[in-house]
Amino acid sequence: MLLSKSKQGKVSTLEAALQRISDGCSLMYGGFGGIGTPPTIVEGILNKGCKDLSLIGNDAGFPDVGVGRLVSSGRVKKLITSHIGSNPIAGQLMNKGEMEVAFSPQGTLIERIRAGGMGLGGVLSDVGLATVAEEGKTHITVNGQEYLIETALTAEVSIIHASKADYLGNLVFEKSARNFNPLVAMAGDFTIVEADEIVQIGELDPESIITPGIFVDMVIPSEGVNWKWVWE
């Protein structure tokens, strides 16, 4: 049962969501190898024709799975990520100089996203010292230990996928889809959630809510996964 228009809360449409995403947008996405990445929003971005996107997320998906579809179609100008090995097209674009790729170790990457969501300037890490990973980064010594300052990450828009949402934007994630999504939700200036099921306020068990609605700006219904998983 839908609420009346005046009581729709944060529930909206794909068309309204896509108004927030345009050429050159910085876009942070949840998901790990496509699991937890919002398929309907990705499809909408492709259909809208958005290009020159700056993406921030764990990986480059697969060529036809997750954000890999945006990468494969040449829509991405820059990618900040932990690895691209699952998407050979990403490697090809990087080597040709057609897509800039900035790597962060996975743990460092999620900490940078968390810092962005918490309003911090960055985090300290000793990962990458005395390697090419330290190039261009500020060094700092704390209690005799040397660290690199890893700057916080935020984006104009965050897109995530939840199994359930209510009209206030409280979210429940399904198993491993609860990967980067909770912290990505916090680090976007505007956070859009694609939910498999949207329920009335009060229907979610408070103990099951992972992301509270305060971090969510818009919820849209999912049309379901429209790619074939590589392990099927």
Side-chain angles (χ1 to χ4, degrees):
M1 180 180 70
L2 293 177
L3 298 177
S4 66
K5 185 175 181 180
S6 61
K7 298 181 180 179
Q8 285 292 328
K10 297 179 179 179
V11 177
S12 191
T13 64
L14 175 62
E15 291 72 21
L18 291 175
Q19 291 179 13
R20 293 281 178 169
I21 303 171
S22 57
D23 292 355
C25 176
S26 61
L27 190 67
M28 189 178 292
Y29 56 93
F32 192 113
I35 297 174
T37 303
T40 304
I41 298 176
V42 170
E43 180 76 13
I45 294 170
L46 284 167
N47 291 337
K48 185 177 179 181
C50 296
K51 61 183 185 299
D52 295 328
L53 299 171
S54 294
L55 297 187
I56 304 170
N58 178 67
D59 55 74
F62 295 86
D64 297 309
V65 173
V67 296
R69 300 182 67 204
L70 298 175
V71 172
S72 300
S73 61
R75 308 297 182 84
V76 181
K77 176 179 64 176
K78 181 176 181 179
L79 176 63
I80 300 175
T81 189
S82 69
H83 72 93
I84 60 173
S86 58
N87 189 346
I89 296 175
Q92 294 168 12
L93 293 171
M94 178 184 69
N95 290 331
K96 291 178 181 178
E98 296 176 6
M99 181 177 71
E100 179 184 353
V101 180
F103 291 105
S104 271
Q106 193 173 79
T108 302
L109 179 66
I110 194 62
E111 279 299 295
R112 294 176 69 191
I113 292 172
R114 182 191 64 81
M118 296 297 292
L120 303 177
V123 294
L124 305 183
S125 174
D126 61 0
V127 177
L129 283 170
T131 74
V132 294
E134 71 175 9
E135 293 178 3
K137 296 178 182 177
T138 301
H139 290 240
I140 188 171
T141 301
V142 179
N143 295 327
Q145 173 66 45
E146 186 178 7
Y147 296 97
L148 300 174
I149 297 179
E150 297 282 359
T151 55
L153 292 171
T154 59
E156 293 171 277
V157 179
S158 284
I159 56 172
I160 64 176
H161 188 194
S163 60
K164 290 184 179 181
D166 66 16
Y167 285 87
L168 292 178
N170 297 304
L171 307 178
V172 175
F173 301 99
E174 179 72 14
K175 299 180 175 66
S176 59
R178 180 187 169 182
N179 38 50
F180 273 49
N181 275 312
L183 294 179
V184 168
M186 298 168 61
D189 294 339
F190 193 89
T191 295
I192 305 170
V193 177
E194 176 180 330
D196 293 330
E197 182 181 358
I198 301 173
V199 302
Q200 299 288 345
I201 297 169
E203 289 189 32
L204 295 179
D205 176 4
E207 295 298 323
S208 298
I209 294 172
I210 304 302
T211 296
I214 189 67
F215 297 115
V216 173
D217 298 288
M218 182 182 291
V219 178
I220 68 164
S222 178
E223 297 176 5
V225 171
N226 57 355
W227 50 67
K228 184 176 181 179
W229 297 107
V230 293
W231 49 83
E232 288 184 319

